């Protein structure tokens, strides 16, 4: 239990000079501010608030606190905003996506390392600094109270992530169960034989009912601390804490939808996977190579009208602790006037998270009741306008390897691409293994993944069953 005061101090008489729009913070003070922004005192003082966190592949981390959210669908950066303005971008799964712009009232920035890659190791994280920004026009009293709380709250906040034993499971529900999942795979393959589509991505979820309810703000705070203490690890981190009951969504995604700097951009086809240590075999596997090729070709076709130049890199591996993926890097230069956010809407969802062609794959998932829910398989990221005269900088990740924490339940999500050569039992195991990242990050019991991944006793691949 923390020792923070129940309400934030009121300092409405603070001099205007004490309320700068931007303030540099040493690392310990920034940790203290993370505690301020995630503490129940802020929830009690300002009901209806939400938090969003985005950490990119290079190690930059951005935390936003929102009082009264004004959401608007956007396709380009607003022209009336000044240079170096920062916005969070977010979209639940949809085709095409509706990307919303979230303007933080309080914005804490841990910058990414310089372009030359120099970065203090985790042991020297204290050498890092952060920047605190207040939205222009933010009520003066609120900004003053945040600064006063920053000065009075402890900076050395110990981690409070629960021990595994504290999050023991009372029940586990799998949606769909293996029998239904297998039948859906076989039904999809029958549709492929009939020429209705070439690939579809099936996802499933595991709902874990815990004996005791975790504290989502504490979970989020410690996930942020852990992210700041580690080297860049090849994945994005996106989190959203919102709602009167503090529902928490987290994603530990390896997939970039689009990263742009001015007119320069890069994306990737990330599809095809295997257990860790088997990458050399994966690079020769026909089924996985075909799966990656479908994604790469669709991205190439969708960019044809928008890109002035396009470079398709060689097939390579992206290796994580728990899985290896096939990756085809794609980069280029956008045509004059092609807005990166509009490019993002055109690209997503790629065949890596939906299937191909789009409409018949989408229709199949809708009928099967397997469309992704929450923010899973949606988009999360940020845009910074007019950086140093280089144009806008945009980063959007596909929100995979996700979990949702709500009350006493934690829901894990995982998906896999289905092709004519797919085997239901292999795809079941793959969807389960992709839940491992979120399961371990949230300190859930380790034996859950084996239960989620294993086939039920007495089951085996077979012919399509109809009811």
């Amino acid at each position: 239990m923390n020792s923070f005061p129940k309400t934030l101090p009121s300092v409405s008489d603070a001099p205007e000079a004490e309320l700068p729009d931007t303030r540099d913070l040493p690392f310990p003070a920034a940790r203290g501010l993370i505690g301020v922004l995630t503490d129940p005192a802020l929830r009690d003082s300002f009901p209806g608030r939400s938090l969003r966190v985005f950490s990119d592949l290079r190690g930059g981390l951005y935390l936003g606190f929102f009082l009264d959210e004004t959401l608007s669908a956007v396709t380009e950066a607003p022209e009336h905003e000044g240079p170096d303005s920062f916005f969070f971008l977010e979209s639940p799964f949809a085709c095409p996506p509706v990307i919303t712009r979230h303007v933080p009232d309080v914005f804490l920035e841990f910058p990414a390392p310089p372009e030359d890659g120099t970065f203090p190791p985790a042991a020297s994280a204290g050498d890092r600094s952060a920047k605190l920004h207040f939205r222009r026009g933010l009520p003066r009293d609120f900004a003053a109270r945040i600064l006063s709380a920053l000065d009075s709250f402890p900076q050395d906040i110990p981690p409070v992530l629960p021990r595994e034993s504290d999050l023991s499971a009372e029940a586990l529900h799998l949606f769909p169960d293996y029998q239904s999942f297998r039948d859906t795979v076989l039904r999809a393959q029958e549709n492929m034989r009939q020429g209705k589509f070439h690939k579809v991505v099936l996802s499933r979820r595991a709902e874990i009912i815990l004996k005791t309810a975790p504290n989502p703000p504490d979970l989020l705070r410690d996930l942020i601390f852990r992210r700041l203490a580690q080297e860049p690890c090849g994945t994005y981190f996106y989190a959203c804490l919102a709602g009167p009951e503090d529902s928490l969504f987290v994603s530990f995604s390896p997939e970039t939808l689009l990263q742009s700097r001015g007119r320069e951009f890069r994306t990737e086809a990330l599809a095809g996977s295997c257990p860790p240590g088997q990458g050399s075999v994966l690079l020769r596997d026909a089924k996985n190579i075909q799966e990656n090729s479908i994604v790469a070709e669709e991205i190439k076709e969708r960019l044809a009208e928008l890109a002035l130049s396009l470079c398709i890199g060689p097939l390579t591996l992206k290796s994580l602790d728990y899985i290896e993926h096939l990756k085809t890097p794609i980069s280029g230069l956008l045509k004059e006037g092609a807005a990166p956010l509009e490019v993002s809407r055109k690209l997503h969802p790629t065949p890596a998270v939906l299937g191909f062609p789009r409409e018949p794959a989408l229709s199949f998932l809708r009928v099967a009741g397997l469309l992704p829910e929450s923010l899973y398989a949606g988009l999360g990221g940020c845009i910074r306008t007019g950086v140093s005269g280089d144009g806008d900088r945009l980063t959007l990740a596909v929100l995979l390897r996700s979990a949702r924490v709500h009350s006493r339940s934690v829901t894990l999500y995982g998906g896999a691409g289905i092709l004519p050569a797919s085997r239901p039992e292999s795809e079941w195991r793959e969807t389960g293994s992709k839940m491992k990242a979120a399961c371990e990050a949230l300190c859930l019991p380790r034996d859950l993944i084996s239960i989620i991944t294993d086939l039920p006793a007495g089951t085996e691949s077979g012919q399509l069953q109809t009811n």
Side-chain angles (χ1 to χ4, degrees), residues 28-49:
R31 279 177 55 93
L33 182 58
I34 292 170
V36 171
L37 296 176
T38 57
D39 193 71
L42 209 57
R43 177 186 62 232
D44 295 341
S45 298
F46 300 97
R49 64 89 175 93

Side-chain angles (χ1 to χ4, degrees), residues 373-386:
E373 64 173 27
S374 183
L375 288 172
Y376 170 65
L379 299 175
C382 63
I383 187 170
R384 174 161 255 155
T385 60

Side-chain angles (χ1 to χ4, degrees), residues 385-400:
T385 60
V387 182
S388 303
D390 292 335
D392 300 340
R393 292 187 184 183
L394 165 75
T395 303
L396 274 175
V398 184
L399 300 180
L400 307 175

Side-chain angles (χ1 to χ4, degrees), residues 61-365:
L61 186 139
Y62 315 98
L63 169 64
F65 176 90
F66 306 83
L67 284 177
D68 299 312
E69 288 190 295
T70 302
L71 306 183
S72 57
V74 293
T75 57
E76 59 185 345
E79 294 182 0
H80 65 275
E81 298 291 350
D84 211 23
S85 295
F86 187 97
F87 309 99
F88 286 80
L89 300 171
E90 185 179 281
S91 175
F93 179 85
C95 183
V98 178
I99 302 174
T100 52
R101 176 174 65 100
H102 301 254
V103 184
D105 293 278
V106 179
F107 171 48
L108 183 60
E109 173 187 13
F110 293 86
E115 292 291 346
D116 62 9
T118 58
F119 191 74
S124 303
D127 296 336
R128 299 180 68 180
S129 61
K131 289 185 178 294
L132 169 63
H133 308 270
F134 292 113
R135 175 178 57 80
R136 295 182 183 90
L138 187 68
R140 178 170 168 270
D141 178 66
F142 174 73
R145 294 170 76 184
I146 289 289
L147 292 177
S148 177
L150 175 60
D151 291 336
S152 60
F153 282 14
Q155 297 181 4
D156 185 18
I157 305 171
V160 295
L161 269 174
R163 295 168 300 180
E164 185 177 311
S165 58
D166 293 334
L167 289 181
S168 55
E170 185 175 272
L172 171 65
H173 306 291
L174 303 179
F175 304 97
D177 59 20
Y178 177 73
Q179 183 73 34
S180 299
F181 180 84
R182 188 196 72 169
D183 288 352
T184 304
V185 171
L186 297 174
R187 190 175 296 111
Q189 291 172 324
E190 179 62 27
N191 277 261
M192 294 177 203
R193 284 190 290 271
Q194 296 174 9
K196 295 181 179 179
F197 49 80
H198 302 293
K199 174 188 175 180
V200 69
V201 177
L202 299 184
S203 61
R204 64 185 182 103
R205 66 186 190 272
E207 183 182 6
I208 303 151
I209 308 300
L210 302 172
K211 291 182 179 179
T212 57
N215 185 296
D218 284 349
L219 285 176
L220 177 59
R221 186 183 74 226
D222 283 12
L223 288 170
I224 296 170
F225 286 170
R226 187 189 303 170
R227 182 78 181 195
L228 289 171
Q230 67 185 17
E231 297 284 353
C233 56
T235 62
Y236 295 96
F237 173 56
Y238 189 85
C240 176
L241 179 72
E245 297 182 357
D246 282 333
S247 176
L248 174 64
F249 174 88
V250 292
S251 169
F252 308 88
S253 176
E255 184 170 348
T256 302
L257 178 75
L258 187 69
Q259 187 174 66
S260 65
R261 179 175 179 174
R263 292 169 57 200
E264 297 177 353
F265 74 90
R266 72 173 185 87
T267 182
E268 62 190 9
L270 196 72
S273 62
C274 69
Q278 300 180 22
S280 59
V281 177
L282 183 65
L283 285 167
R284 302 191 301 271
D285 183 81
K287 180 262 183 186
N288 283 283
I289 291 173
Q290 180 191 12
E291 184 176 354
N292 189 277
S293 177
I294 288 174
V295 179
E297 287 300 315
E298 175 70 356
I299 291 175
K300 179 180 176 181
E301 183 173 333
R302 291 191 171 273
L303 287 172
E305 296 180 359
L306 300 168
L308 192 62
S309 62
L310 200 59
C311 176
I312 311 295
L315 188 66
T316 185
L317 289 173
K318 179 155 190 173
S319 300
L320 303 173
D321 291 341
Y322 63 96
I323 200 168
E324 294 194 67
H325 290 290
L326 288 177
K327 172 183 171 180
T328 301
I330 301 170
S331 59
L333 186 69
L334 295 176
K335 292 180 179 178
E336 192 74 43
L341 272 171
E342 184 58 37
V343 175
S344 301
R345 293 184 73 253
K346 193 172 183 67
L347 285 178
H348 190 74
T350 71
V353 293
L354 173 58
F356 179 78
R358 277 186 180 181
E359 290 307 320
L362 187 67
S363 177
F364 179 85
L365 293 176

